[in-house]
Amino acid sequence: MKHLFGKAFFKEMLPLAIPIALQNLLMASFRLVDMLMLGQLSGNALAAVDLASQMSFFVDLISFGVSSGCAVFIAQYHGARNLDGIRRVMGCAIVSLVPIGVLATVVSVSFPETIMRVLTDDPTLREIGVSYLRVAAFSYLGIVINSVLSTVLRSTEHVRLPLIASGTAAALNALLNYILIFGKLGFPAMGAQGAGVATAISASVGPLIVLVTSLIRRNILIAPPKAVFRLKGFFAPFWKRSLPAFLNETLWSASIVIVNTIFGHMGAENYAGLSTVRTIENLVFVFFIGVCHSCNILVGKHIGGGDEPGAKRIANSFLVLTPLMGLVLGAAVLALRRPVVDLFQIEESSKAVARSLLLMYAFEIGFRNIPYIAVVGIFRAGGDTRIGFFGDLFVQYLIVIPVAAVLGLVIKLPFVTTFVITQLCDDIAKNLIYLIYYRKGNWIRPVSQIRIDSV
C-alpha cells in the first residue's frame, strides 16, 4: 500500500480534497436542514419540492457537464502554466452556459404546470411543486455562473474562495427558508413557495462573493474581456473535446429525471422516503466529491506537466481509495440510518422505505462511486471525454430506464424492490465497463498541446 498512499500522495491530495469536500458538506448540511423544514409542513411538501427541483438538478448537471469539459483543459493548462489558455476556456464556458441558464428560467417560469404534470400525476404534489418552481427558477442563472467561476478556481488550486462563497450562500438559504417557510420576523408563512424564494436569492450570493473578492485580490478570474472572449480559433477545438462531457452530463441528468418521474408515479409516500434518502446521500457523497475533484486536478496537472507515469500512479491511488472510503462511510450510514431518518417528520410508511434504501446504500457506497471517480476524476482529466458519454448512454437508456419502467409501471413490483434492482443494474454495468477500460490505459489524451491561434 505504500506505493499507493505515501506521504507525497496525501500532501498533494488533502489540501485540495478537504476544502472541496467541506464546501459541499456545508451545502448538503443546509439542504438537509431545508428538507427537515419542508418535512415539518408535510410529506407532500417534501416530495413536491424534491420533484420540482429536478429542473434545478438538470441545469446543475448541464453546468457540470460544461465545467467538466473546462476542467479537462484548465487542469492541464495549469500544469503547463498556460494562463492565456485558462482564460479563454473560461470565456467558452460563459458563452455556452449563460444562454442555457436564461432559457431554463424562461421555460420554468412560463410552463411550471406542464413540467409538474410530466413529473407526477398526484394533483397535490403538482400544486405545491408549481408554487415552488415559479420562483426557484430565478436561481438557474446564478447556478451556471457559479459553476464556471468555481471550476476555474478549483482547477487552478484556488479552493478556499469557492468554499467561503458556497458556505455563505448555503447558510443564507437555510436562514431564509426558516423565515419564509414558517413566516418568522414578520414575514408571511409562504410554505414551499418560500423555499423557492430562498433558493432564488441565495443562488445569486455565491457568484457575487466570488466576483467581488476576485476584484479585490485580482486573482485569475480578473482579466480584460478581450483576453477572456478571444475565442476565434479556439472555440471549435474546445467544444470538439468538451462536447462528449457536456452530452454525457446532459443526457445522464435527463435519464435521472425520467427515472425519478417513473418513481414519482409509484406513490407520494414512496417518493417522500426516496427524497429523504437522497438528502442523506448528499451528505455522504460530499467526501467523494472532494476526492474526485482533487483527483481530476492532480491527474490533469501531471499530464499537463508531461508526467504521464505520475498521472497513472495518482489515478491508481484514487481508485483504491474509493472503496476503502466506502467501507468507513457505509459503516457510519448503517449505524446512524434509523436515528437520522427519524429526524424527518414524514409518514411511518415513508420512513420504512427510507430505512430499506439506506440499508442497501450502506453496503455499496464504495462500489457505486468507482465509476464516478473513474469518469470524472480520471478519464476527463486525462483528456478522454468520450468513454463516459458512451458508457453512461448505454447503461442509462438501454438498461436503467427500461428496468425501472418495466418493474415499476408494468410488472408493478414494490417500490423498494424496483429501486434496488434498478440501482444494482446501474452499478454493476458501469463498474464492468469503466474498470475494463481503465486497465487498457488508453485514457491519457493531452489537450494542453492544442494550438491557440492568436487573433
Side-chain angles (χ1 to χ4, degrees), residues 207-231:
L208 185 61
I209 291 174
V210 169
L211 287 173
V212 171
T213 305
S214 297
L215 280 169
I216 295 171
R217 294 181 178 177
R218 308 301 299 178
N219 64 21
I220 194 169
L221 296 180
I222 305 305
K226 64 180 181 180
V228 176
F229 297 106
R230 190 161 55 94
L231 305 181

Side-chain angles (χ1 to χ4, degrees), residues 72-73 76 241 299-300 303 378-386 442-447:
V72 170
F73 285 82
Q76 292 192 26
R241 189 65 66 97
V299 170
I303 292 174
I378 297 174
F379 299 151
R380 289 181 188 172
D384 188 336
T385 55
R386 293 188 177 187
N442 298 327
W443 49 271
I444 294 184
R445 301 176 184 182
V447 301

Side-chain angles (χ1 to χ4, degrees), residues 75-123:
Q76 292 192 26
Y77 283 146
H78 178 53
R81 303 180 184 278
N82 187 340
L83 181 61
D84 183 49
I86 292 172
R87 285 173 169 161
R88 296 176 79 171
V89 171
M90 181 170 65
C92 288
I94 293 171
V95 168
S96 303
L97 278 176
V98 168
I100 292 174
V102 172
L103 178 62
T105 301
V106 171
V107 170
S108 297
V109 171
S110 303
F111 308 104
E113 295 90 351
T114 303
I115 293 170
M116 289 306 301
R117 195 175 295 116
V118 170
L119 292 171
T120 180
D121 55 4
D122 188 309

Side-chain angles (χ1 to χ4, degrees), residues 309-349:
K312 290 181 177 179
R313 171 181 52 79
I314 289 172
N316 288 336
S317 298
F318 278 102
L319 271 186
V320 175
L321 179 64
T322 301
L324 295 177
M325 285 177 57
L327 291 175
V328 176
L329 294 171
V333 171
L334 198 60
L336 299 174
R337 66 189 179 99
R338 289 186 177 276
V340 172
V341 168
D342 286 339
L343 292 174
F344 292 82
Q345 296 183 18
I346 54 178
E347 299 294 330
E348 187 56 41
S349 58

Side-chain angles (χ1 to χ4, degrees), residues 184-199:
K184 304 296 182 179
L185 301 181
F187 286 85
M190 300 173 67
Q193 187 178 41
V197 174
T199 298

Side-chain angles (χ1 to χ4, degrees), residues 140-356:
Y140 301 156
L141 189 58
I143 288 173
V144 299
I145 293 174
N146 189 64
S147 179
V148 175
L149 302 181
S150 295
T151 298
V152 175
L153 290 171
R154 285 197 300 250
S155 296
T156 53
E157 301 183 79
H158 295 84
V159 294
R160 291 185 180 179
L161 180 53
L163 165 63
I164 294 169
S166 296
T168 303
L172 177 63
N173 183 57
L175 176 62
L176 291 176
N177 269 324
Y178 175 71
I179 294 172
L180 298 176
I181 290 175
F182 302 116
K184 304 296 182 179
L185 301 181
F187 286 85
M190 300 173 67
Q193 187 178 41
V197 174
T199 298
I201 294 174
S202 60
S204 303
V205 169
L208 185 61
I209 291 174
V210 169
L211 287 173
V212 171
T213 305
S214 297
L215 280 169
I216 295 171
R217 294 181 178 177
R218 308 301 299 178
N219 64 21
I220 194 169
L221 296 180
I222 305 305
K226 64 180 181 180
V228 176
F229 297 106
R230 190 161 55 94
L231 305 181
K232 185 178 179 181
F234 183 69
F235 196 74
F238 166 82
W239 268 108
K240 183 178 180 181
R241 189 65 66 97
S242 299
L243 185 60
F246 170 73
L247 292 176
N248 186 179
E249 298 301 333
T250 302
L251 293 175
W252 181 83
S253 59
S255 74
I256 296 300
V257 172
I258 293 171
V259 172
N260 285 338
T261 302
I262 293 171
F263 292 149
H265 285 77
M266 295 181 70
E269 72 283 354
N270 289 322
Y271 203 87
L274 179 59
S275 300
T276 300
V277 169
R278 285 181 173 152
T279 303
I280 298 169
E281 283 182 1
N282 287 339
L283 286 171
V284 178
F285 186 54
V286 300
F287 297 99
F288 294 101
I289 292 175
V291 166
C292 184
H293 280 288
S294 61
C295 176
N296 182 282
I297 293 166
L298 294 176
V299 170
K301 180 181 177 181
H302 278 267
I303 292 174
D307 182 16
E308 293 187 9
K312 290 181 177 179
R313 171 181 52 79
I314 289 172
N316 288 336
S317 298
F318 278 102
L319 271 186
V320 175
L321 179 64
T322 301
L324 295 177
M325 285 177 57
L327 291 175
V328 176
L329 294 171
V333 171
L334 198 60
L336 299 174
R337 66 189 179 99
R338 289 186 177 276
V340 172
V341 168
D342 286 339
L343 292 174
F344 292 82
Q345 296 183 18
I346 54 178
E347 299 294 330
E348 187 56 41
S349 58
S350 298
K351 289 184 179 180
V353 169
R355 293 187 193 105
S356 297

